Amino acid sequence: MNLSIDLAWLLMVAEQKAPGDPQVADWGALVAAVSRHDAEIFGIPVYDDPHTRAAALLQLLLHVPALEHSNALFASAVAYGYLTASGLRVTTSPERVRDLARLVKGGDADVRDIADELERWTL
């Protein structure tokens, strides 16, 4: 199942999961996230399963901050929420979320690496 998200959904996640109600600092990052997760080339999805789609969202939102603060938490909440909305059961720990965010932010992980970790979060 390839669930599509929109700007309203991202803003809802930011409102519900980012502490202190941060303002959007870069609307383009949110628009890019919506487009990236749903990207196609010649009608073929670039990211063809929920884990890679969530990974693409997480990677983009960590490298191109959209909010004035709490971007790592926001990006992680978006990935978690995407997997959950896709019908997957997600179980992880704060330490695993932190470690993945550090790995992504450090530039040592591509989308497939991130998706592999997200697969370990789901049952």
Side-chain angles (χ1 to χ4, degrees):
M1 172 174 140
N2 282 334
L3 176 72
S4 288
I5 63 163
D6 59 14
L7 184 60
W9 185 81
L10 289 172
L11 293 172
M12 181 192 69
V13 172
E15 180 181 39
Q16 292 177 353
K17 303 298 180 186
D21 192 24
Q23 298 299 304
V24 175
D26 185 352
W27 288 96
L30 297 175
V31 171
V34 170
S35 295
R36 185 176 194 210
H37 97 283
D38 212 16
E40 291 184 352
I41 296 179
F42 303 118
I44 299 169
V46 173
Y47 308 108
D48 60 355
D49 64 75
H51 295 97
T52 55
R53 289 165 71 94
L57 288 166
L58 178 71
Q59 186 183 47
L60 187 135
L61 292 170
L62 272 173
H63 286 293
V64 185
L67 306 179
E68 62 184 347
H69 64 74
S70 303
N71 285 287
L73 178 62
F74 173 57
S76 299
V78 165
Y80 183 99
Y82 187 84
L83 293 171
T84 301
S86 294
L88 299 169
R89 184 164 171 232
V90 181
T91 59
T92 191
S93 68
E95 293 79 19
R96 289 176 77 186
V97 172
R98 179 203 61 219
D99 292 346
L100 179 59
R102 285 181 178 165
L103 180 70
V104 173
K105 193 69 174 165
D108 297 328
D110 63 15
V111 171
R112 187 70 251 165
D113 296 329
I114 300 164
D116 288 345
E117 178 60 23
L118 293 175
E119 285 182 43
R120 288 189 280 280
W121 291 12
T122 57
L123 302 175

